[in-house]
Amino acid sequence: MNDSLTVRDLHPGETESARLFLSQHGWGHRIGDAESFARLIHNSQRTAVALLGEQIVGFARAITDEVSNGYLSMVVVDDQHRRKGIGRALVKHVMGDNPDITWVLRAGREGAEAFFASLGFETSVIAMERQRRK
Protein backbone atom coordinates (compact mmCIF):
# COMPACT_ATOMS: atom_id res chain seq x y z
CA MET A 1 0.00 0.00 0.00
CA ASN A 2 1.23 3.50 -0.86
CA ASP A 3 1.46 5.60 2.34
CA SER A 4 2.35 8.94 0.77
CA LEU A 5 0.10 11.88 1.61
CA THR A 6 -2.09 13.32 -1.12
CA VAL A 7 -4.30 16.39 -0.66
CA ARG A 8 -6.74 16.98 -3.50
CA ASP A 9 -10.30 17.96 -4.35
CA LEU A 10 -12.96 15.50 -3.25
CA HIS A 11 -14.07 13.34 -6.17
CA PRO A 12 -17.86 12.92 -6.64
CA GLY A 13 -17.66 9.18 -5.99
CA GLU A 14 -16.04 9.77 -2.59
CA THR A 15 -18.90 11.71 -1.02
CA GLU A 16 -20.17 8.81 1.09
CA SER A 17 -16.64 7.88 2.21
CA ALA A 18 -16.11 11.48 3.32
CA ARG A 19 -19.44 11.46 5.18
CA LEU A 20 -18.47 8.27 7.02
CA PHE A 21 -15.05 9.72 7.87
CA LEU A 22 -16.65 12.86 9.34
CA SER A 23 -19.21 10.81 11.25
CA GLN A 24 -16.41 8.73 12.79
CA HIS A 25 -14.54 11.87 13.84
CA GLY A 26 -17.19 13.74 15.81
CA TRP A 27 -19.03 15.60 13.04
CA GLY A 28 -22.11 13.37 12.74
CA HIS A 29 -24.32 16.10 14.18
CA ARG A 30 -23.32 18.46 11.36
CA ILE A 31 -23.48 16.24 8.30
CA GLY A 32 -26.88 14.54 8.44
CA ASP A 33 -27.87 11.60 6.30
CA ALA A 34 -26.31 10.69 2.95
CA GLU A 35 -28.73 12.86 0.95
CA SER A 36 -28.21 15.94 3.14
CA PHE A 37 -24.45 15.51 3.05
CA ALA A 38 -24.44 15.13 -0.73
CA ARG A 39 -26.34 18.44 -0.94
CA LEU A 40 -23.88 20.05 1.49
CA ILE A 41 -20.96 18.95 -0.71
CA HIS A 42 -22.71 20.03 -3.91
CA ASN A 43 -23.32 23.52 -2.49
CA SER A 44 -19.74 23.98 -1.28
CA GLN A 45 -17.40 25.60 -3.77
CA ARG A 46 -14.32 23.87 -2.37
CA THR A 47 -13.96 20.45 -0.78
CA ALA A 48 -10.76 18.51 -0.22
CA VAL A 49 -9.56 15.24 1.22
CA ALA A 50 -6.20 14.18 2.59
CA LEU A 51 -5.34 10.60 1.73
CA LEU A 52 -2.67 8.25 2.99
CA GLY A 53 -2.68 5.70 0.23
CA GLU A 54 -6.41 5.27 -0.34
CA GLN A 55 -7.48 6.00 3.26
CA ILE A 56 -9.11 9.35 4.05
CA VAL A 57 -7.25 10.92 6.99
CA GLY A 58 -8.53 14.48 6.59
CA PHE A 59 -11.28 16.59 5.09
CA ALA A 60 -11.92 20.31 4.56
CA ARG A 61 -14.60 22.40 2.92
CA ALA A 62 -15.06 26.07 2.18
CA ILE A 63 -17.55 28.47 0.66
CA THR A 64 -16.32 31.48 -1.28
CA ASP A 65 -17.31 34.04 -3.88
CA GLU A 66 -13.82 33.53 -5.38
CA VAL A 67 -13.21 37.30 -5.34
CA SER A 68 -13.42 38.88 -1.90
CA ASN A 69 -14.77 36.60 0.85
CA GLY A 70 -14.42 33.02 1.97
CA TYR A 71 -15.66 30.92 4.83
CA LEU A 72 -13.67 27.91 5.99
CA SER A 73 -16.39 25.60 7.29
CA MET A 74 -14.74 22.29 8.20
CA VAL A 75 -11.21 21.08 8.79
CA VAL A 76 -11.06 17.58 10.23
CA VAL A 77 -7.98 15.38 10.65
CA ASP A 78 -7.95 11.87 12.08
CA ASP A 79 -6.59 12.00 15.65
CA GLN A 80 -3.81 9.52 14.80
CA HIS A 81 -2.51 11.77 12.04
CA ARG A 82 -2.59 15.19 13.69
CA ARG A 83 0.48 17.40 14.01
CA LYS A 84 1.91 16.08 10.73
CA GLY A 85 0.96 19.02 8.48
CA ILE A 86 -2.25 17.46 7.14
CA GLY A 87 -4.58 20.16 8.47
CA ARG A 88 -2.25 22.88 7.20
CA ALA A 89 -2.16 21.25 3.74
CA LEU A 90 -5.96 20.97 3.66
CA VAL A 91 -6.45 24.62 4.64
CA LYS A 92 -3.95 25.83 2.04
CA HIS A 93 -5.60 23.66 -0.60
CA VAL A 94 -9.16 24.92 -0.05
CA MET A 95 -8.11 28.55 0.44
CA GLY A 96 -5.99 28.63 -2.72
CA ASP A 97 -3.53 31.40 -3.37
CA ASN A 98 -5.64 34.51 -3.98
CA PRO A 99 -4.37 37.05 -1.40
CA ASP A 100 -7.37 39.33 -2.04
CA ILE A 101 -9.85 36.94 -0.37
CA THR A 102 -10.56 37.53 3.31
CA TRP A 103 -11.15 34.15 4.96
CA VAL A 104 -13.18 33.71 8.14
CA LEU A 105 -13.94 30.69 10.32
CA ARG A 106 -15.26 29.58 13.67
CA ALA A 107 -12.54 28.05 15.83
CA GLY A 108 -14.53 26.54 18.67
CA ARG A 109 -12.83 23.19 19.13
CA GLU A 110 -9.96 22.63 21.54
CA GLY A 111 -6.63 23.62 19.97
CA ALA A 112 -8.28 25.21 16.93
CA GLU A 113 -7.43 28.81 17.80
CA ALA A 114 -3.69 28.11 18.07
CA PHE A 115 -3.74 26.01 14.90
CA PHE A 116 -5.44 28.69 12.82
CA ALA A 117 -3.27 31.44 14.33
CA SER A 118 -0.26 29.51 13.02
CA LEU A 119 -1.80 29.90 9.55
CA GLY A 120 -2.15 33.67 9.87
CA PHE A 121 -5.70 33.93 11.21
CA GLU A 122 -6.36 36.50 13.93
CA THR A 123 -9.20 36.82 16.40
CA SER A 124 -11.69 39.32 15.08
CA VAL A 125 -13.46 41.87 17.23
CA ILE A 126 -15.94 42.83 14.51
CA ALA A 127 -17.52 39.49 13.65
CA MET A 128 -21.15 38.79 14.40
CA GLU A 129 -23.10 35.61 13.99
CA ARG A 130 -26.65 34.34 14.00
CA GLN A 131 -26.46 30.76 15.20
CA ARG A 132 -28.39 27.92 13.65
CA ARG A 133 -31.00 25.94 15.53
CA LYS A 134 -29.51 23.23 17.70
Side-chain angles (χ1 to χ4, degrees):
M1 178 173 146
N2 179 5
D3 283 340
S4 63
L5 179 69
T6 303
V7 175
R8 61 164 170 72
D9 292 348
L10 180 71
H11 294 162
E14 298 170 321
T15 300
E16 181 61 9
S17 295
R19 186 181 76 83
L20 293 173
F21 170 81
L22 291 168
S23 181
Q24 294 165 355
H25 292 87
W27 286 78
H29 65 291
R30 290 282 310 277
I31 58 174
D33 61 20
E35 183 179 324
S36 296
F37 185 69
R39 196 169 58 248
L40 180 143
I41 294 299
H42 177 77
N43 292 331
S44 299
Q45 286 85 15
R46 300 181 185 185
T47 56
V49 288
L51 302 161
L52 280 178
E54 295 181 21
Q55 178 186 0
I56 296 175
V57 295
F59 175 86
R61 82 176 187 103
I63 302 165
T64 180
D65 58 22
E66 304 287 348
V67 177
S68 179
N69 298 303
Y71 173 65
L72 189 56
S73 177
M74 292 179 179
V75 179
V76 182
V77 176
D78 183 296
D79 291 345
Q80 297 178 22
H81 298 286
R82 289 191 179 161
R83 305 199 59 81
K84 297 178 182 176
I86 295 171
R88 178 178 296 274
L90 283 164
V91 170
K92 288 184 177 188
H93 184 86
V94 296
M95 285 178 34
D97 58 5
N98 184 342
D100 295 326
I101 297 176
T102 297
W103 287 92
V104 298
L105 58 87
R106 295 177 70 201
R109 293 189 177 233
E110 184 178 334
E113 187 174 345
F115 169 71
F116 287 110
S118 76
L119 293 169
F121 285 84
E122 298 174 4
T123 301
S124 173
V125 295
I126 61 170
M128 297 176 70
E129 68 179 327
R130 180 178 148 194
Q131 293 188 4
R132 68 181 154 283
R133 289 183 293 162
K134 297 198 185 225

